[in-house]
Amino acid sequence: MFFRKRKEEDNEQIPASISCFKEDQEKVTKGAPIYPMPDNADLFFNVLRVGTFEQQKQMADVTRSVYGAHAPRQVDNNKLWAVWLAEYGVTDWGYLEDENGKVLKFTRETCRSIFNNKDYRNTLVPTLINGASDYYSYLQDEALEAIEEIKKR
């Protein structure tokens, strides 16, 4: 994904430091910016890292709150992710407006109203979860710089 593919005739080896994979713990615990619209660099959602032990515990709590003690075999994962984003996952956002052009300030209540809206469940929710699942979003700035340097080679 980040490194060029080697050709069979290419004997040059491209070293990469292990530091390329060093996560920024502040981004993991406070959220990293996820940009759901590639053409709009101003709009972002800060989202906690998906896959951590803490997130797994939160998701178990969300599942119990939505389905009770005995969840059915088939659950609506996007609904569960929406509740997780509303209650835990989203920690802030920037440059988000409502449908009338009014800037929305981040509050947990506004967050719930957005993510409990079924109109966003199959669009915004998976977009943010995919971003929060990508380790690249949570790397230290030095790791990102190291990756960019490797790309130039």
Side-chain angles (χ1 to χ4, degrees):
M1 181 170 169
F2 303 108
F3 310 105
R4 71 178 172 93
K5 291 184 178 180
R6 290 182 59 188
K7 299 175 188 166
E8 286 185 35
E9 67 273 4
D10 187 2
N11 290 326
E12 178 188 6
Q13 293 183 345
I14 302 172
S17 170
I18 190 67
S19 66
C20 290
F21 301 100
K22 201 175 220 181
E23 283 191 318
D24 182 328
Q25 292 305 308
E26 187 171 342
K27 290 179 183 176
V28 171
T29 57
K30 294 184 179 179
I34 306 297
Y35 299 91
M37 298 175 65
D39 295 336
N40 185 344
D42 294 330
L43 172 64
F44 67 90
F45 291 81
N46 277 356
V47 184
L48 297 177
R49 178 85 157 97
V50 167
T52 65
F53 181 64
E54 186 64 27
Q55 183 273 320
Q56 292 170 15
K57 292 189 304 185
Q58 293 166 346
M59 197 57 143
D61 291 342
V62 165
T63 303
R64 276 191 297 281
S65 74
V66 171
Y67 291 106
H70 304 288
R73 285 181 167 219
Q74 294 183 344
V75 297
D76 181 347
N77 284 321
N78 283 351
K79 180 178 183 178
L80 295 176
W81 283 120
V83 173
W84 179 78
L85 287 168
E87 297 299 326
Y88 304 102
V90 174
T91 60
D92 197 7
W93 56 59
Y95 304 100
L96 183 63
E97 297 178 347
D98 67 11
E99 293 171 356
N100 299 316
K102 180 183 172 198
V103 174
L104 294 172
K105 295 204 182 278
F106 177 81
T107 67
R108 195 55 60 195
E109 183 179 323
T110 304
C111 199
R112 287 182 189 115
S113 73
I114 291 170
F115 292 104
N116 288 326
N117 185 327
K118 290 181 182 180
D119 292 339
Y120 306 119
R121 193 168 293 160
N122 293 317
T123 55
L124 182 58
V125 169
T127 299
L128 295 179
I129 294 303
N130 286 337
S133 300
D134 185 353
Y135 80 94
Y136 191 75
S137 301
Y138 300 88
L139 294 178
Q140 291 183 351
D141 292 336
E142 295 82 16
L144 294 171
E145 290 168 10
I147 289 171
E148 288 303 315
E149 191 60 36
I150 290 170
K151 284 181 181 179
K152 292 176 186 175
R153 296 180 192 176

